[in-house]
Each structure stands twice: as structure tokens, then as C-alpha cells.
Amino acid sequence: MRKAHVELEHRVRERTADLVKANEALRNSQHLLQGILDNSTAMISVKDLQGRFMLVNHRYERLFHANSESLVGKTLYDLLPGEHADRVRASDRRVLASGNVLEAEELVPH
């Protein structure tokens, strides 16, 4: 019984170390992606299926005079008047339905 317990603890330590390494790699990847997006001249955002912001670049932050932390979790309806948010959300839905990239220009009040 003691041997099985020791082996289990050893496996748990190994898996924990693997998870720590995987989390560090994920954080590094996220920092790299954010750096690439922040150096783009385009406004870029990543949203979940419900339209909530998960990630925005510096251009997006500047347009809405907000930092990334304050935008994450919000939707277009938190930032734009209804008709403007409806138009952009319709574009998001087209992307989801088609699976294709959409490059568009929108005039938004700010």
C-alpha cells in the first residue's frame, strides 16, 4: 500500500511539472501573439462565440480609449450604439457561418 502511494505521489509531481511547463509555453505563445497583433496597423480583436472580447490589440485600445483588461469580456454592445454594434456583429456571424476571413472597414463613433 505504501509503495502504491509513493508511486502515485511521484506521478502527480511529474504531471504537475508537465502542466507547469505547458502553462509557461502557453503564456509565452500568448505574449508572442499579442506582440504581433500590437505591431499591426489594423484594428484586431478576437471574440468568443457569444461576441465577448477575448483579446484586442493596441489599435483597438486606442480607438475606444481603454486598455485590454477593461475590454475583455465586453461585447460590441458595451462599446457602440446598437445599430453600429448590429452591423459589426452581423459581420462576425458571416465569418462564423462561412469559416472565411473577412476584411472590412466600419465607421464607428467614438
mmCIF file of all heavy atoms in Angstrom, residues 4-42:
data_model
loop_
_atom_site.group_PDB
_atom_site.id
_atom_site.type_symbol
_atom_site.label_atom_id
_atom_site.label_comp_id
_atom_site.label_asym_id
_atom_site.label_seq_id
_atom_site.Cartn_x
_atom_site.Cartn_y
_atom_site.Cartn_z
ATOM 1 N N ALA A 4 2.460 1.902 -3.440
ATOM 2 C CA ALA A 4 1.490 2.456 -4.401
ATOM 3 C C ALA A 4 1.283 3.940 -4.140
ATOM 4 O O ALA A 4 1.193 4.744 -5.077
ATOM 5 C CB ALA A 4 0.167 1.700 -4.318
ATOM 6 N N HIS A 5 1.219 4.329 -2.882
ATOM 7 C CA HIS A 5 1.038 5.734 -2.517
ATOM 8 C C HIS A 5 2.240 6.571 -2.974
ATOM 9 O O HIS A 5 2.074 7.664 -3.536
ATOM 10 C CB HIS A 5 0.837 5.863 -1.002
ATOM 11 C CG HIS A 5 0.625 7.269 -0.546
ATOM 12 N ND1 HIS A 5 -0.553 7.932 -0.763
ATOM 13 C CD2 HIS A 5 1.462 8.136 0.099
ATOM 14 C CE1 HIS A 5 -0.443 9.157 -0.274
ATOM 15 N NE2 HIS A 5 0.764 9.302 0.261
ATOM 16 N N VAL A 6 3.439 6.067 -2.750
ATOM 17 C CA VAL A 6 4.662 6.764 -3.165
ATOM 18 C C VAL A 6 4.690 6.904 -4.686
ATOM 19 O O VAL A 6 5.021 7.965 -5.222
ATOM 20 C CB VAL A 6 5.920 6.030 -2.632
ATOM 21 C CG1 VAL A 6 7.188 6.589 -3.265
ATOM 22 C CG2 VAL A 6 5.981 6.129 -1.117
ATOM 23 N N GLU A 7 4.344 5.843 -5.396
ATOM 24 C CA GLU A 7 4.316 5.894 -6.866
ATOM 25 C C GLU A 7 3.285 6.908 -7.361
ATOM 26 O O GLU A 7 3.548 7.659 -8.304
ATOM 27 C CB GLU A 7 4.021 4.509 -7.434
ATOM 28 C CG GLU A 7 5.175 3.547 -7.318
ATOM 29 C CD GLU A 7 4.840 2.150 -7.839
ATOM 30 O OE1 GLU A 7 3.822 1.997 -8.552
ATOM 31 O OE2 GLU A 7 5.602 1.228 -7.523
ATOM 32 N N LEU A 8 2.134 6.922 -6.715
ATOM 33 C CA LEU A 8 1.099 7.883 -7.097
ATOM 34 C C LEU A 8 1.574 9.311 -6.866
ATOM 35 O O LEU A 8 1.398 10.181 -7.730
ATOM 36 C CB LEU A 8 -0.188 7.616 -6.313
ATOM 37 C CG LEU A 8 -1.357 8.546 -6.616
ATOM 38 C CD1 LEU A 8 -1.741 8.477 -8.090
ATOM 39 C CD2 LEU A 8 -2.541 8.211 -5.736
ATOM 40 N N GLU A 9 2.188 9.567 -5.737
ATOM 41 C CA GLU A 9 2.720 10.905 -5.461
ATOM 42 C C GLU A 9 3.776 11.298 -6.483
ATOM 43 O O GLU A 9 3.820 12.447 -6.929
ATOM 44 C CB GLU A 9 3.293 10.971 -4.047
ATOM 45 C CG GLU A 9 2.250 11.080 -2.972
ATOM 46 C CD GLU A 9 2.854 11.265 -1.591
ATOM 47 O OE1 GLU A 9 4.086 11.135 -1.437
ATOM 48 O OE2 GLU A 9 2.071 11.542 -0.667
ATOM 49 N N HIS A 10 4.612 10.362 -6.867
ATOM 50 C CA HIS A 10 5.640 10.626 -7.880
ATOM 51 C C HIS A 10 4.983 11.001 -9.215
ATOM 52 O O HIS A 10 5.390 11.971 -9.863
ATOM 53 C CB HIS A 10 6.546 9.400 -8.032
ATOM 54 C CG HIS A 10 7.590 9.564 -9.099
ATOM 55 N ND1 HIS A 10 8.662 10.416 -8.948
ATOM 56 C CD2 HIS A 10 7.707 8.998 -10.322
ATOM 57 C CE1 HIS A 10 9.398 10.377 -10.050
ATOM 58 N NE2 HIS A 10 8.838 9.516 -10.895
ATOM 59 N N ARG A 11 3.973 10.242 -9.614
ATOM 60 C CA ARG A 11 3.268 10.547 -10.877
ATOM 61 C C ARG A 11 2.572 11.904 -10.815
ATOM 62 O O ARG A 11 2.569 12.649 -11.792
ATOM 63 C CB ARG A 11 2.272 9.442 -11.205
ATOM 64 C CG ARG A 11 2.951 8.208 -11.769
ATOM 65 C CD ARG A 11 1.943 7.304 -12.428
ATOM 66 N NE ARG A 11 0.924 6.908 -11.469
ATOM 67 C CZ ARG A 11 0.665 5.669 -11.122
ATOM 68 N NH1 ARG A 11 1.331 4.675 -11.654
ATOM 69 N NH2 ARG A 11 -0.288 5.397 -10.244
ATOM 70 N N VAL A 12 1.992 12.225 -9.667
ATOM 71 C CA VAL A 12 1.345 13.527 -9.505
ATOM 72 C C VAL A 12 2.372 14.645 -9.642
ATOM 73 O O VAL A 12 2.128 15.651 -10.318
ATOM 74 C CB VAL A 12 0.596 13.616 -8.152
ATOM 75 C CG1 VAL A 12 0.180 15.042 -7.837
ATOM 76 C CG2 VAL A 12 -0.613 12.686 -8.153
ATOM 77 N N ARG A 13 3.539 14.494 -9.029
ATOM 78 C CA ARG A 13 4.602 15.510 -9.149
ATOM 79 C C ARG A 13 5.046 15.666 -10.601
ATOM 80 O O ARG A 13 5.249 16.777 -11.090
ATOM 81 C CB ARG A 13 5.790 15.166 -8.255
ATOM 82 C CG ARG A 13 5.597 15.557 -6.800
ATOM 83 C CD ARG A 13 6.906 15.494 -6.006
ATOM 84 N NE ARG A 13 7.481 14.152 -5.997
ATOM 85 C CZ ARG A 13 7.135 13.185 -5.155
ATOM 86 N NH1 ARG A 13 6.215 13.396 -4.246
ATOM 87 N NH2 ARG A 13 7.726 12.001 -5.208
ATOM 88 N N GLU A 14 5.213 14.538 -11.308
ATOM 89 C CA GLU A 14 5.610 14.593 -12.716
ATOM 90 C C GLU A 14 4.557 15.315 -13.550
ATOM 91 O O GLU A 14 4.889 16.161 -14.386
ATOM 92 C CB GLU A 14 5.819 13.182 -13.271
ATOM 93 C CG GLU A 14 7.106 12.525 -12.830
ATOM 94 C CD GLU A 14 7.250 11.118 -13.407
ATOM 95 O OE1 GLU A 14 6.224 10.504 -13.800
ATOM 96 O OE2 GLU A 14 8.395 10.642 -13.459
ATOM 97 N N ARG A 15 3.292 14.969 -13.362
ATOM 98 C CA ARG A 15 2.213 15.601 -14.134
ATOM 99 C C ARG A 15 2.109 17.086 -13.806
ATOM 100 O O ARG A 15 1.873 17.903 -14.684
ATOM 101 C CB ARG A 15 0.871 14.908 -13.863
ATOM 102 C CG ARG A 15 0.791 13.483 -14.360
ATOM 103 C CD ARG A 15 1.034 13.330 -15.854
ATOM 104 N NE ARG A 15 0.052 14.063 -16.611
ATOM 105 C CZ ARG A 15 0.276 14.624 -17.791
ATOM 106 N NH1 ARG A 15 1.450 14.504 -18.366
ATOM 107 N NH2 ARG A 15 -0.658 15.295 -18.404
ATOM 108 N N THR A 16 2.295 17.420 -12.533
ATOM 109 C CA THR A 16 2.255 18.827 -12.131
ATOM 110 C C THR A 16 3.380 19.594 -12.817
ATOM 111 O O THR A 16 3.162 20.700 -13.335
ATOM 112 C CB THR A 16 2.357 18.961 -10.600
ATOM 113 O OG1 THR A 16 1.259 18.260 -10.007
ATOM 114 C CG2 THR A 16 2.343 20.412 -10.166
ATOM 115 N N ALA A 17 4.566 19.018 -12.858
ATOM 116 C CA ALA A 17 5.696 19.668 -13.536
ATOM 117 C C ALA A 17 5.397 19.830 -15.027
ATOM 118 O O ALA A 17 5.698 20.875 -15.612
ATOM 119 C CB ALA A 17 6.972 18.857 -13.324
ATOM 120 N N ASP A 18 4.792 18.803 -15.639
ATOM 121 C CA ASP A 18 4.416 18.899 -17.056
ATOM 122 C C ASP A 18 3.411 20.027 -17.282
ATOM 123 O O ASP A 18 3.505 20.772 -18.251
ATOM 124 C CB ASP A 18 3.810 17.580 -17.551
ATOM 125 C CG ASP A 18 4.818 16.449 -17.642
ATOM 126 O OD1 ASP A 18 6.035 16.728 -17.610
ATOM 127 O OD2 ASP A 18 4.380 15.274 -17.727
ATOM 128 N N LEU A 19 2.430 20.146 -16.390
ATOM 129 C CA LEU A 19 1.423 21.203 -16.516
ATOM 130 C C LEU A 19 2.036 22.585 -16.332
ATOM 131 O O LEU A 19 1.676 23.527 -17.032
ATOM 132 C CB LEU A 19 0.291 20.986 -15.518
ATOM 133 C CG LEU A 19 -0.634 19.823 -15.820
ATOM 134 C CD1 LEU A 19 -1.596 19.586 -14.660
ATOM 135 C CD2 LEU A 19 -1.402 20.055 -17.102
ATOM 136 N N VAL A 20 2.972 22.714 -15.411
ATOM 137 C CA VAL A 20 3.659 23.995 -15.214
ATOM 138 C C VAL A 20 4.397 24.383 -16.495
ATOM 139 O O VAL A 20 4.324 25.533 -16.942
ATOM 140 C CB VAL A 20 4.610 23.924 -14.000
ATOM 141 C CG1 VAL A 20 5.553 25.121 -13.969
ATOM 142 C CG2 VAL A 20 3.810 23.822 -12.711
ATOM 143 N N LYS A 21 5.092 23.432 -17.102
ATOM 144 C CA LYS A 21 5.809 23.699 -18.357
ATOM 145 C C LYS A 21 4.837 24.076 -19.471
ATOM 146 O O LYS A 21 5.085 25.005 -20.242
ATOM 147 C CB LYS A 21 6.626 22.486 -18.785
ATOM 148 C CG LYS A 21 7.846 22.240 -17.953
ATOM 149 C CD LYS A 21 8.576 20.991 -18.425
ATOM 150 C CE LYS A 21 9.678 20.582 -17.477
ATOM 151 N NZ LYS A 21 10.290 19.308 -17.856
ATOM 152 N N ALA A 22 3.728 23.363 -19.579
ATOM 153 C CA ALA A 22 2.733 23.646 -20.614
ATOM 154 C C ALA A 22 2.124 25.033 -20.413
ATOM 155 O O ALA A 22 1.922 25.778 -21.385
ATOM 156 C CB ALA A 22 1.647 22.577 -20.620
ATOM 157 N N ASN A 23 1.839 25.397 -19.168
ATOM 158 C CA ASN A 23 1.292 26.732 -18.889
ATOM 159 C C ASN A 23 2.287 27.823 -19.252
ATOM 160 O O ASN A 23 1.909 28.864 -19.784
ATOM 161 C CB ASN A 23 0.883 26.849 -17.418
ATOM 162 C CG ASN A 23 -0.442 26.177 -17.138
ATOM 163 O OD1 ASN A 23 -1.266 26.011 -18.025
ATOM 164 N ND2 ASN A 23 -0.641 25.792 -15.891
ATOM 165 N N GLU A 24 3.545 27.598 -18.962
ATOM 166 C CA GLU A 24 4.583 28.583 -19.311
ATOM 167 C C GLU A 24 4.684 28.731 -20.831
ATOM 168 O O GLU A 24 4.787 29.842 -21.346
ATOM 169 C CB GLU A 24 5.931 28.172 -18.718
ATOM 170 C CG GLU A 24 7.045 29.156 -18.974
ATOM 171 C CD GLU A 24 6.809 30.513 -18.346
ATOM 172 O OE1 GLU A 24 6.132 30.610 -17.308
ATOM 173 O OE2 GLU A 24 7.315 31.506 -18.911
ATOM 174 N N ALA A 25 4.632 27.632 -21.542
ATOM 175 C CA ALA A 25 4.670 27.686 -23.005
ATOM 176 C C ALA A 25 3.466 28.438 -23.548
ATOM 177 O O ALA A 25 3.584 29.236 -24.488
ATOM 178 C CB ALA A 25 4.732 26.273 -23.586
ATOM 179 N N LEU A 26 2.299 28.209 -22.957
ATOM 180 C CA LEU A 26 1.087 28.912 -23.382
ATOM 181 C C LEU A 26 1.217 30.408 -23.132
ATOM 182 O O LEU A 26 0.886 31.223 -23.993
ATOM 183 C CB LEU A 26 -0.132 28.342 -22.652
ATOM 184 C CG LEU A 26 -1.472 28.992 -22.972
ATOM 185 C CD1 LEU A 26 -1.795 28.873 -24.455
ATOM 186 C CD2 LEU A 26 -2.571 28.366 -22.134
ATOM 187 N N ARG A 27 1.713 30.794 -21.959
ATOM 188 C CA ARG A 27 1.914 32.217 -21.668
ATOM 189 C C ARG A 27 2.886 32.848 -22.657
ATOM 190 O O ARG A 27 2.663 33.963 -23.134
ATOM 191 C CB ARG A 27 2.421 32.406 -20.236
ATOM 192 C CG ARG A 27 1.317 32.459 -19.203
ATOM 193 C CD ARG A 27 1.830 32.953 -17.850
ATOM 194 N NE ARG A 27 2.810 32.059 -17.254
ATOM 195 C CZ ARG A 27 2.516 30.958 -16.575
ATOM 196 N NH1 ARG A 27 1.277 30.598 -16.412
ATOM 197 N NH2 ARG A 27 3.477 30.215 -16.061
ATOM 198 N N ASN A 28 3.964 32.146 -22.984
ATOM 199 C CA ASN A 28 4.927 32.665 -23.954
ATOM 200 C C ASN A 28 4.273 32.835 -25.317
ATOM 201 O O ASN A 28 4.499 33.836 -25.999
ATOM 202 C CB ASN A 28 6.137 31.744 -24.055
ATOM 203 C CG ASN A 28 7.008 31.803 -22.824
ATOM 204 O OD1 ASN A 28 6.956 32.756 -22.049
ATOM 205 N ND2 ASN A 28 7.809 30.770 -22.622
ATOM 206 N N SER A 29 3.456 31.880 -25.720
ATOM 207 C CA SER A 29 2.752 31.971 -27.007
ATOM 208 C C SER A 29 1.788 33.148 -27.015
ATOM 209 O O SER A 29 1.678 33.868 -28.003
ATOM 210 C CB SER A 29 1.987 30.678 -27.298
ATOM 211 O OG SER A 29 2.881 29.613 -27.479
ATOM 212 N N GLN A 30 1.080 33.343 -25.898
ATOM 213 C CA GLN A 30 0.145 34.464 -25.805
ATOM 214 C C GLN A 30 0.880 35.799 -25.900
ATOM 215 O O GLN A 30 0.416 36.713 -26.573
ATOM 216 C CB GLN A 30 -0.652 34.390 -24.501
ATOM 217 C CG GLN A 30 -1.679 33.289 -24.498
ATOM 218 C CD GLN A 30 -2.320 33.095 -23.137
ATOM 219 O OE1 GLN A 30 -1.693 33.258 -22.095
ATOM 220 N NE2 GLN A 30 -3.587 32.729 -23.147
ATOM 221 N N HIS A 31 2.031 35.901 -25.248
ATOM 222 C CA HIS A 31 2.816 37.139 -25.318
ATOM 223 C C HIS A 31 3.313 37.379 -26.744
ATOM 224 O O HIS A 31 3.313 38.508 -27.223
ATOM 225 C CB HIS A 31 3.989 37.083 -24.335
ATOM 226 C CG HIS A 31 3.596 37.345 -22.937
ATOM 227 N ND1 HIS A 31 2.859 36.458 -22.186
ATOM 228 C CD2 HIS A 31 3.822 38.402 -22.122
ATOM 229 C CE1 HIS A 31 2.654 36.947 -20.984
ATOM 230 N NE2 HIS A 31 3.226 38.128 -20.906
ATOM 231 N N LEU A 32 3.750 36.325 -27.403
ATOM 232 C CA LEU A 32 4.213 36.447 -28.781
ATOM 233 C C LEU A 32 3.078 36.906 -29.688
ATOM 234 O O LEU A 32 3.239 37.840 -30.482
ATOM 235 C CB LEU A 32 4.775 35.106 -29.263
ATOM 236 C CG LEU A 32 5.264 35.054 -30.704
ATOM 237 C CD1 LEU A 32 6.410 36.032 -30.938
ATOM 238 C CD2 LEU A 32 5.692 33.636 -31.062
ATOM 239 N N LEU A 33 1.916 36.274 -29.568
ATOM 240 C CA LEU A 33 0.757 36.660 -30.377
ATOM 241 C C LEU A 33 0.373 38.103 -30.101
ATOM 242 O O LEU A 33 0.141 38.873 -31.036
ATOM 243 C CB LEU A 33 -0.428 35.734 -30.092
ATOM 244 C CG LEU A 33 -1.744 36.100 -30.779
ATOM 245 C CD1 LEU A 33 -1.589 36.091 -32.298
ATOM 246 C CD2 LEU A 33 -2.847 35.159 -30.334
ATOM 247 N N GLN A 34 0.323 38.499 -28.839
ATOM 248 C CA GLN A 34 -0.038 39.874 -28.511
ATOM 249 C C GLN A 34 0.963 40.851 -29.119
ATOM 250 O O GLN A 34 0.575 41.890 -29.649
ATOM 251 C CB GLN A 34 -0.114 40.073 -26.993
ATOM 252 C CG GLN A 34 -0.685 41.423 -26.593
ATOM 253 C CD GLN A 34 -2.159 41.546 -26.905
ATOM 254 O OE1 GLN A 34 -2.947 40.708 -26.517
ATOM 255 N NE2 GLN A 34 -2.534 42.604 -27.596
ATOM 256 N N GLY A 35 2.238 40.516 -29.079
ATOM 257 C CA GLY A 35 3.253 41.384 -29.685
ATOM 258 C C GLY A 35 3.065 41.541 -31.178
ATOM 259 O O GLY A 35 3.194 42.636 -31.728
ATOM 260 N N ILE A 36 2.730 40.448 -31.852
ATOM 261 C CA ILE A 36 2.484 40.514 -33.293
ATOM 262 C C ILE A 36 1.267 41.384 -33.582
ATOM 263 O O ILE A 36 1.301 42.268 -34.446
ATOM 264 C CB ILE A 36 2.301 39.090 -33.873
ATOM 265 C CG1 ILE A 36 3.621 38.327 -33.809
ATOM 266 C CG2 ILE A 36 1.754 39.135 -35.293
ATOM 267 C CD1 ILE A 36 3.492 36.833 -34.052
ATOM 268 N N LEU A 37 0.185 41.149 -32.859
ATOM 269 C CA LEU A 37 -1.046 41.920 -33.076
ATOM 270 C C LEU A 37 -0.844 43.394 -32.766
ATOM 271 O O LEU A 37 -1.356 44.258 -33.491
ATOM 272 C CB LEU A 37 -2.181 41.358 -32.222
ATOM 273 C CG LEU A 37 -2.611 39.933 -32.522
ATOM 274 C CD1 LEU A 37 -3.720 39.506 -31.573
ATOM 275 C CD2 LEU A 37 -3.031 39.760 -33.968
ATOM 276 N N ASP A 38 -0.115 43.690 -31.700
ATOM 277 C CA ASP A 38 0.086 45.081 -31.309
ATOM 278 C C ASP A 38 0.925 45.858 -32.311
ATOM 279 O O ASP A 38 0.844 47.083 -32.361
ATOM 280 C CB ASP A 38 0.733 45.164 -29.918
ATOM 281 C CG ASP A 38 -0.244 44.844 -28.811
ATOM 282 O OD1 ASP A 38 -1.470 44.872 -29.052
ATOM 283 O OD2 ASP A 38 0.218 44.555 -27.689
ATOM 284 N N ASN A 39 1.703 45.177 -33.114
ATOM 285 C CA ASN A 39 2.525 45.856 -34.116
ATOM 286 C C ASN A 39 1.858 45.942 -35.471
ATOM 287 O O ASN A 39 2.451 46.426 -36.426
ATOM 288 C CB ASN A 39 3.894 45.173 -34.215
ATOM 289 C CG ASN A 39 4.754 45.543 -33.039
ATOM 290 O OD1 ASN A 39 5.152 46.688 -32.900
ATOM 291 N ND2 ASN A 39 4.988 44.590 -32.154
ATOM 292 N N SER A 40 0.625 45.521 -35.552
ATOM 293 C CA SER A 40 -0.142 45.623 -36.791
ATOM 294 C C SER A 40 -0.750 47.017 -36.897
ATOM 295 O O SER A 40 -1.084 47.643 -35.893
ATOM 296 C CB SER A 40 -1.273 44.584 -36.805
ATOM 297 O OG SER A 40 -2.123 44.812 -37.908
ATOM 298 N N THR A 41 -0.902 47.489 -38.109
ATOM 299 C CA THR A 41 -1.560 48.776 -38.318
ATOM 300 C C THR A 41 -3.078 48.631 -38.322
ATOM 301 O O THR A 41 -3.794 49.619 -38.308
ATOM 302 C CB THR A 41 -1.103 49.411 -39.645
ATOM 303 O OG1 THR A 41 -1.400 48.513 -40.707
ATOM 304 C CG2 THR A 41 0.382 49.723 -39.616
ATOM 305 N N ALA A 42 -3.576 47.405 -38.343
ATOM 306 C CA ALA A 42 -5.020 47.149 -38.354
ATOM 307 C C ALA A 42 -5.556 47.044 -36.931
ATOM 308 O O ALA A 42 -4.830 46.710 -36.005
ATOM 309 C CB ALA A 42 -5.310 45.851 -39.109
#
